Amino acid sequence: MDKFHIVGPTRLAGRVRASGAKNAALPALTASLLTDAPLTLRRVPHVRDIRTLQKLLDHLGVVTEETGGALILRRERPNPEHDAPYDLVRTMRASVLVLGPLLAKEGHARVSLPGGCAIGVRPIDQHLKGLTALGADVQLTHGYVEATAARLVGARFRFDMPTVTGTENVMMAATLARGTTVLECCACEPEVVDLANLLNAMGAHVSGAGTETIVVDGVESLGAAEHAIIPDRIEGGTYLIGAVLTRGDVTLEGASAADLAPLLDKLAEVGASVEVSAEDIRVQGAGDIQSLDLETSPHPGFPTDLQAQYMALMTRADGVATISETVFENRFQHAPELARMGADIRVDGGRARVYGPKPLTGAGVMATDLRASACLVLAGVAAQGETVVDRIYHLDRGYEGMELKLQKLGARVARWSVPMS
Ligand code: UD1
């Protein structure tokens, strides 16, 4: 199991390029199940979640070829079961994104209930309710979802809460349904918009993505398309938070300032200098960082996927910051690890109070989920002395070459590969 060995403190400074968004690439790859024609996807990040999904897609008959920096996916040999077995699904919750496309295209899908990050219960009831509203017969047996429909039929459906992958799953299914589907209370995340753009390039009729109401006029079939995945706002945002945490100066290339607005506003409020140009975003950490409360919420609110990194920042801020996590119920697992590095954090249910500023000191810490890992790595870069972050496989799920990017910014980070005993 790999670890990161970090010697701090260092001031992060320089230029770094955002990779393609993992959370936009995952549904884009599953859209290959909606068509017999090839999909050409550019800017797909080299991260473990993508490789995990490729294995599952391979099982479902999708042949993937990588040429000239693009992934070309084509379902050439569909397996008659249309099944996503537990072994291939358990490590990644987003595997459930194969359900909507398979059902819509093949009339049948059998998908294991997913696993994923240990950050809450994370049910998929909204995915299933949405597909049921489109006329699917959905049964839960032996840990599997079994869904059947001769052909899905357009309907009006309102999600009980905005769910990103839920919106994506039902939106994909609706593209091949007979008639019009109106989805209400949809997630408005940029990744949903990116998927809608891809589906439209394939010949779908999707409108309203990025708002709470998405309308899909079903078509008979979808065709080939070429599409570039949007930049990863969470990955890019992580380096920008690192700039402020280490009083550094980081320029993020190729990112969308509009998608990062909730973070950029916050960084300016805590006292950083934020400059946005057509090509890049430059963030400089000033002398003192102000403590500021934070509440996560669905887009366009502050993303839950940057909450852990923001908590690392608040350990070095002047005053007390209350961080409220409203999206997931168990997403403060980084708090006790930060405390091992000298932070003073008290967690009470969905709220954490961070008492700053506290000097951080290097320690051995354990990554518990994807974004918690990023938080601990940033803290290690800012801390005095040596930090070893264990269970880096969580980080590898979603950050492309993080140690290389951090090294380029001046951090002393090395990957230690430890053979499994
Ligand atoms: C996606 C992102 C993840 C991010 C999250 C919230 C991907 C691959 N992952 O996850 O990085 O942290 O959005 O921005 O895009 N819920 C239900 N029932 C459902 C679905 C969701 O109760 O059927 C609840 C969840 O438990 C959670 C909330 O809705 O409390 C939002 O979750 P959701 O948006 O679905 O997260 P994911 O799509 O899994």
Side-chain angles (χ1 to χ4, degrees), residues 22-24 26-27 49 92-97 119-129 159-168 187 189 191 233-234 297-299 303-305 326-329 331 370-371 397:
K22 166 186 86 81
N23 286 353
L26 289 169
D49 273 6
M92 192 180 65
R93 180 184 156 78
S95 312
V96 73
L97 282 165
I119 58 173
V121 179
R122 304 182 82 178
I124 56 161
D125 57 308
Q126 299 299 308
H127 303 232
L128 305 186
K129 274 189 186 175
F159 292 98
D160 293 336
M161 79 279 291
T163 148
V164 177
T165 48
T167 301
E168 292 166 346
E189 268 67 2
E191 292 76 17
R233 64 199 167 101
I234 305 300
S297 54
H299 194 76
T304 171
D305 284 352
T326 71
V327 180
F328 293 114
E329 71 274 20
R331 206 170 198 185
L370 170 54
R371 306 305 171 185
R397 287 186 49 196

Side-chain angles (χ1 to χ4, degrees), residues 174-239:
T175 58
L176 291 179
R178 191 180 330 113
T180 300
T181 298
V182 179
L183 301 175
E184 294 170 335
C185 191
C186 291
C188 303
E189 268 67 2
E191 292 76 17
V192 174
V193 179
D194 198 44
L195 176 63
N197 289 340
L198 166 63
L199 294 171
N200 286 337
M202 294 166 70
H205 295 160
V206 180
S207 58
T211 74
E212 286 177 12
T213 304
I214 295 179
V215 179
V216 185
D217 287 316
V219 294
E220 291 300 315
S221 65
L222 294 173
E226 270 200 51
H227 179 76
I229 302 295
I230 54 169
D232 196 320
R233 64 199 167 101
I234 305 300
E235 185 225 17
T238 300
Y239 296 113

Side-chain angles (χ1 to χ4, degrees), residues 141-348:
T141 42
H142 306 294
Y144 278 77
V145 177
E146 190 133 14
T148 316
R151 171 136 190 223
L152 294 171
V153 182
R156 181 174 283 270
F157 175 72
R158 186 176 179 80
F159 292 98
D160 293 336
M161 79 279 291
T163 148
V164 177
T165 48
T167 301
E168 292 166 346
N169 227 345
V170 183
M171 178 170 81
M172 283 194 279
T175 58
L176 291 179
R178 191 180 330 113
T180 300
T181 298
V182 179
L183 301 175
E184 294 170 335
C185 191
C186 291
C188 303
E189 268 67 2
E191 292 76 17
V192 174
V193 179
D194 198 44
L195 176 63
N197 289 340
L198 166 63
L199 294 171
N200 286 337
M202 294 166 70
H205 295 160
V206 180
S207 58
T211 74
E212 286 177 12
T213 304
I214 295 179
V215 179
V216 185
D217 287 316
V219 294
E220 291 300 315
S221 65
L222 294 173
E226 270 200 51
H227 179 76
I229 302 295
I230 54 169
D232 196 320
R233 64 199 167 101
I234 305 300
E235 185 225 17
T238 300
Y239 296 113
L240 296 180
I241 293 176
V244 187
L245 173 65
T246 62
R247 312 298 198 270
D249 181 355
V250 171
T251 299
L252 180 65
E253 299 169 352
S256 157
D259 292 351
L260 273 160
L263 172 70
L264 298 180
D265 291 349
K266 204 74 190 171
L267 294 181
E269 273 185 81
V270 304
S273 145
V274 177
E275 288 168 46
V276 174
S277 72
E279 291 79 35
D280 43 41
I281 303 168
R282 181 178 182 187
V283 169
Q284 291 169 273
D288 286 338
I289 305 167
Q290 293 306 310
S291 279
L292 264 193
D293 294 350
L294 174 86
E295 183 170 295
T296 63
S297 54
H299 194 76
F302 191 95
T304 171
D305 284 352
L306 286 172
Q307 176 261 107
Q309 300 88 317
Y310 183 81
M311 186 181 285
L313 176 62
M314 285 300 101
T315 65
R316 306 287 292 117
D318 208 4
V320 183
T322 301
I323 299 181
S324 309
E325 173 56 65
T326 71
V327 180
F328 293 114
E329 71 274 20
N330 186 22
R331 206 170 198 185
F332 287 134
Q333 293 171 10
H334 41 284
E337 299 301 306
L338 284 174
R340 303 192 65 250
M341 300 177 75
D344 184 358
I345 302 169
R346 294 172 214 171
V347 175
D348 179 13

Side-chain angles (χ1 to χ4, degrees), residues 85-127:
Y86 180 60
D87 269 3
L88 292 170
V89 164
R90 70 190 159 86
T91 55
M92 192 180 65
R93 180 184 156 78
S95 312
V96 73
L97 282 165
V98 303
L99 179 61
L102 273 182
L103 173 65
K105 176 79 168 42
E106 310 295 343
H108 177 73
R110 186 168 180 272
V111 176
S112 169
L113 288 165
C117 274
I119 58 173
V121 179
R122 304 182 82 178
I124 56 161
D125 57 308
Q126 299 299 308
H127 303 232

